Amino acid sequence: MFSHSGAGVSEGAKVGTIAARFKQRLQTLPPEVEESLLLRILVQVMVLAGIAATDVAASTSMSVWAIPLSITGAFWSWRQRHKRNIAVKFCIAIGMLLAMAAFFVGLRAELNDTRLVLAELLVQLQVLHSFDLPRRKDLGYSMVIGLILISVACTLSQTMTFGLLLLLFLAIALPVLVLDYRSRLGLSNQFYQSPLQRAGLSPKRWLGFMSVILVIGLIVFACLPRFPGYQLRSFPVSPQIQQDFQDNSRIINPGYVRPGDGKGGGGTPDQGQGSGPGKLNENFYYGFSSRINQNLRGALKPRVVLRIRSQAEGFWRVLAFDRYLGQGWEISQNDKTVTITRPEWSYQFFLPRPITLNKTKEIVQTYTAVSDLPNLLPSLAQPKELYFPTRQVAIDLNGNLRSPLELREGLTYTVVSEVPYRDRTRLREASPNYPASIVADYLDVPPKILARVRKRTQELLATSPKPITSAYEKALFLAQVVKQRYTIQPELPFLEPDEDLVEAFLFKYQGGYPDYFSTALTVMLRSIDIPARLVAGFGPGEFNPFTGLYVVRNTDAYAITEVFFPKYGWFGFDPIPGHELIPPSIEESQTFNALRSFWRWVAGWLPSPVTSWLSRIFGTLAGWIAIALTRLMGLLSQGWVGLFAGLLLAIALGFIGWLLWRGWRSWRYRRWLAKLPPMESLYQQMLHWQALQGFRKRPAQTPLEYAQQAQTVQPLAQSRAIDDISQAYVRWRYGGQVPNLTQLKQRLRDLKRPSTTQRRVTLKHLLNRSTET
């Protein structure tokens, strides 16, 4: 028992001794303090740029408290850098735990898009971390946080304002990297020593690096492929909104006068959604309502309403109308709108999908409202999934999507559409046998104008050089004829109370407002028994190649005609002059759509001859690349023989590439030598040759120290040649003596091509060293 107790005491004493030694060691360890004030200031500015960029991109106000606190923390940390600050570290740890708890609480409200919640957590951690930055490693953590914040801001940004902060971040990051590297080497970074200039980052060189980085970044962004699908199913959506439908048939357009509300479109309730003359609201497009009046006059005041990130451009459909009223349109079965409810734990709505034989492509679109809009959700054709913050959405019989509330500024949602390909051959062969529901809803024409409109339509079809039999070709030809034979007339008088819009367009005015063209085409197609409807929406808008977003304005809203083809669905035609006959579709590959749009933007600033010349060059290069890729894919598809041939081709191309790389490096080296003074060039050639032989000169060595070292590791003849060249270089560089270049060049040739005797001496020298070892 005694021995057991004694052993316990002995073990306790050992533990106490170890703890005491560990504590003593901690107290005696010198802190690795970073003394560079310049590095600290630049790191802090870089982090502040990341915080401000996240604030601007996400439209939050974190900078109001984060930037002052972070500056205060950095100043306090600089003053206390030589102290251990145990109490402060303990308080920072508690603050980080509280920040983590707040993060998990906020995560519940952001189940679908966690980027902003994570950014807020990083900002909070950085503010706490700024109060304890004694070491260079701690500054490195701050640099990483700044990089993450600027990356998050890149994904959230929708305007060019972020670009200014990105440029500031890049401008600061370059000197920070230089100073950080100097700190790792133990070199001083104080102001008065001009560390950046001494390290080779003068203002001129810094500007050169910045220019190269910006050019490469723009090229990479423009050439970045935009593939037709995402691997993750977590899309940007605003935080959850607790709002359900009271009446899913109601469309809320702020531009229309509500009953009992004396505000909005024009003074009386009928001017917006009824009939008769009236005035357009200058902010809201009139065509977004269950019933529209086309006997309105006025113009929209341009303003941005949407920013859209999409893998392909298109006509952002909003609303489809089936019943023509003579001077407007309405949705005849608006009361049959269906409400869809999503689960509490997911933002995803599954939408009914039409049955079609057509080939489709999945296109993901993310919409952000920049200003207030009606409670209608724009989307590309045939949406199949919707990610929206409310628990309920509604869909009517025409496939129009509705929200329980208006789209307020900043609201974001995502749509996944199965956009159909427009196969002209298939559509031309579509059956003329239409379902009864289609005939009942989409062939109605007012009897008083039917005969006259039908006759005019047939007369226009008769002008075709060849007889037209298919519904698709008739729709295409009529859209083209309406576009060419009728004109836009911005000063059109109001229609009379009993006057029909289409009849006045075709026979009285020979044209009208832009939407009149689509209305006329729709009724003309119906008159010859082709189902058609009027669809209101937004054109593609203006693509910003720097943000990758389509910027859509209220003036981009207009109406087109959609025609039904059995088993293939609805396809649009645009008869408005100045527009493409076929709305933007996905027939062409959109993988490099950003590069195409960027080129269009650049070409707009260039003279026409230059644009044509560059287009021919790029077209030729693209053709060659396409041919090469086609042949390569054809080769690889030939089984094992093709795979083996492809492998040999890859090896051959790799070898050729290696030879070209070696040749380019050799050319650049010779070009560099040619710019040097003769003595400097000769000395550098000697160092380069010795480096290839495995005897490198260390950066800290002087020429004479290098020559002295050569005497101990190199054969006598070679060490003498190295010494002669080094001595001549030192005398020329620091003494101004003119060297004997002819003799020194001969010494360099001797060094590169040793004689037989020198080879024997070298071998004997190596054998002796091996024996001694």
Side-chain angles (χ1 to χ4, degrees), residues 29-102:
L29 279 176
E32 301 174 4
V33 176
E34 175 57 58
E35 297 291 349
S36 173
L37 180 59
L38 179 59
L39 176 60
R40 288 176 176 272
I41 291 175
L42 291 180
V43 168
Q44 185 63 28
V45 175
M46 189 172 73
V47 172
L48 297 183
I51 295 174
T54 306
D55 227 9
V56 169
S59 299
T60 58
S61 57
M62 292 184 293
S63 301
V64 175
W65 59 268
I67 290 180
L69 284 178
S70 185
I71 295 174
T72 303
F75 177 75
W76 192 91
S77 178
W78 164 256
R79 296 295 300 271
Q80 304 292 322
R81 65 189 184 279
H82 291 291
K83 299 180 181 178
R84 299 193 177 276
N85 304 315
I86 302 300
V88 174
K89 288 181 171 63
F90 183 74
C91 293
I92 291 174
I94 294 176
M96 288 184 174
L97 292 176
L98 294 176
M100 185 66 69

Side-chain angles (χ1 to χ4, degrees), residues 108-149:
R108 292 188 58 190
E110 299 284 352
L111 295 176
N112 203 68
D113 188 4
T114 59
R115 293 173 297 172
L116 187 55
V117 182
L118 289 170
E120 290 176 350
L121 175 63
L122 280 175
V123 170
Q124 294 164 2
L125 295 181
Q126 169 57 30
V127 170
L128 294 169
H129 177 63
S130 64
F131 284 87
D132 185 36
L133 302 171
R135 302 169 299 175
R136 178 181 50 78
K137 184 187 297 184
D138 299 315
L139 296 175
Y141 295 150
S142 296
M143 292 161 57
V144 172
I145 290 177
L147 180 62
I148 295 174
L149 289 176

Side-chain angles (χ1 to χ4, degrees), residues 136 347 430 460 590 651:
R136 178 181 50 78
Y347 284 95
L460 292 175
Q590 302 289 334
I651 294 174

Side-chain angles (χ1 to χ4, degrees), residues 222 543 545 592-608 610-619:
F543 181 78
F592 295 96
N593 188 49
L595 181 59
R596 185 182 298 110
S597 301
F598 184 78
W599 163 243
R600 291 173 184 169
W601 179 81
V602 172
W605 296 85
L606 299 176
S608 298
V610 177
T611 302
S612 301
W613 180 71
L614 291 176
S615 297
R616 286 197 298 271
I617 293 178
F618 292 151

Side-chain angles (χ1 to χ4, degrees), residues 597-654:
S597 301
F598 184 78
W599 163 243
R600 291 173 184 169
W601 179 81
V602 172
W605 296 85
L606 299 176
S608 298
V610 177
T611 302
S612 301
W613 180 71
L614 291 176
S615 297
R616 286 197 298 271
I617 293 178
F618 292 151
T620 303
L621 292 176
W624 290 349
I625 294 173
I627 293 173
L629 291 177
T630 302
R631 292 183 178 179
L632 179 61
M633 295 304 296
L635 180 65
L636 295 178
S637 62
Q638 296 178 3
W640 289 105
V641 176
L643 187 62
F644 183 70
L647 182 62
L648 290 179
L649 180 62
I651 294 174
L653 291 176

Side-chain angles (χ1 to χ4, degrees), residues 66-308:
I67 290 180
L69 284 178
S70 185
I71 295 174
T72 303
F75 177 75
W76 192 91
S77 178
W78 164 256
R79 296 295 300 271
Q80 304 292 322
R81 65 189 184 279
H82 291 291
K83 299 180 181 178
R84 299 193 177 276
N85 304 315
I86 302 300
V88 174
K89 288 181 171 63
F90 183 74
C91 293
I92 291 174
I94 294 176
M96 288 184 174
L97 292 176
L98 294 176
M100 185 66 69
F103 164 73
F104 285 115
V105 172
L107 199 60
R108 292 188 58 190
E110 299 284 352
L111 295 176
N112 203 68
D113 188 4
T114 59
R115 293 173 297 172
L116 187 55
V117 182
L118 289 170
E120 290 176 350
L121 175 63
L122 280 175
V123 170
Q124 294 164 2
L125 295 181
Q126 169 57 30
V127 170
L128 294 169
H129 177 63
S130 64
F131 284 87
D132 185 36
L133 302 171
R135 302 169 299 175
R136 178 181 50 78
K137 184 187 297 184
D138 299 315
L139 296 175
Y141 295 150
S142 296
M143 292 161 57
V144 172
I145 290 177
L147 180 62
I148 295 174
L149 289 176
I150 204 74
S151 302
V152 172
C154 284
T155 65
L156 293 172
S157 174
Q158 295 187 349
T159 65
M160 293 292 291
T161 307
F162 165 76
L164 299 176
L165 293 169
L166 179 60
L167 290 177
L168 175 62
F169 185 88
L170 291 175
I172 300 171
L174 284 175
V176 165
L177 291 176
V178 172
L179 294 175
D180 180 72
Y181 181 67
R182 289 176 58 83
S183 179
R184 292 172 186 270
L185 297 178
L187 302 176
S188 176
N189 286 329
Q190 298 306 319
F191 284 109
Y192 59 86
Q193 294 179 334
S194 301
L196 295 179
Q197 292 189 4
R198 253 201 355 260
L201 196 64
S202 62
K204 181 178 179 181
R205 198 167 188 181
W206 169 83
L207 187 60
F209 279 130
M210 279 291 297
S211 302
V212 171
I213 291 171
L214 290 177
V215 170
I216 293 176
L218 290 174
I219 292 174
V220 170
F221 174 78
C223 298
L224 197 66
R226 307 175 77 190
F227 295 107
Y230 293 126
Q231 299 300 318
L232 300 176
R233 284 302 190 206
S234 180
F235 300 119
V237 179
S238 293
Q240 182 163 316
I241 301 173
Q242 299 296 337
Q243 179 78 33
D244 292 336
F245 280 105
Q246 297 179 353
D247 179 7
N248 64 12
S249 66
R250 184 186 179 195
I251 296 178
I252 309 168
N253 190 333
Y256 281 146
V257 179
R258 300 186 181 97
D261 184 359
K263 304 174 184 178
T268 66
D270 288 340
Q271 289 180 359
Q273 297 170 280
S275 59
K279 182 181 178 181
L280 286 174
N281 184 285
E282 64 178 11
N283 294 315
F284 296 93
Y285 177 61
Y286 77 100
F288 299 149
S289 182
S290 58
R291 184 176 182 181
I292 62 172
N293 175 17
Q294 293 188 288
N295 194 17
L296 304 178
R297 301 294 179 263
L300 291 171
K301 184 178 180 181
R303 63 169 182 160
V304 177
V305 294
L306 286 171
R307 291 194 183 97
I308 304 172

